[in-house]
């Protein structure tokens, strides 16, 4: 599993498994995005704006590189 998305009553829940696989990713993701992290791998997104989308895209690219580096994709 790489990522999942679920619509909740008051937020969008984006679970991003690479930060569970390598907790060091938390140190290089956007601080603005990290403020929305709930638990170990799910973000509770209450506002989706252009910056949030850029932060998610950046995180996804880093996750893909991580998975490629360990041979999972």
């Amino acid at each position: 599993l790489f990522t999942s998305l679920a619509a909740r009553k008051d937020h969008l829940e984006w679970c991003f498994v690479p930060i569970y696989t390598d907790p060091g990713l938390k140190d290089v993701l956007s601080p603005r995005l990290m403020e929305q992290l709930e638990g170990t791998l799910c973000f509770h997104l209450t506002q989706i704006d252009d910056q949030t989308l850029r932060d998610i895209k950046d995180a996804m690219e880093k996750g893909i590189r991580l998975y490629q580096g360990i041979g999972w994709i």
Side-chain angles (χ1 to χ4, degrees):
L1 184 64
F2 183 74
T3 188
S4 67
L5 194 60
R8 303 295 183 205
K9 182 180 177 181
D10 60 348
H11 66 276
L12 190 62
E13 183 177 86
W14 176 54
C15 297
F16 182 58
V17 179
I19 63 172
Y20 183 79
T21 305
D22 180 3
L25 277 179
K26 293 177 183 178
D27 298 332
V28 296
L29 297 182
S30 158
R32 186 171 179 262
L33 184 62
M34 290 305 300
E35 289 173 1
Q36 300 177 76
L37 181 65
E38 296 289 329
T40 57
L41 61 101
C42 292
F43 297 86
H44 291 190
L45 307 170
T46 56
Q47 293 184 345
I48 308 293
D49 56 18
D50 289 341
Q51 183 60 51
T52 302
L53 292 175
R54 284 191 296 272
D55 292 342
I56 290 170
K57 181 181 180 208
D58 178 64
M60 297 279 285
E61 289 169 352
K62 288 175 176 156
I64 289 168
R65 283 194 299 272
L66 170 70
Y67 276 26
Q68 288 172 330
I70 56 181
W72 289 2
I73 54 174

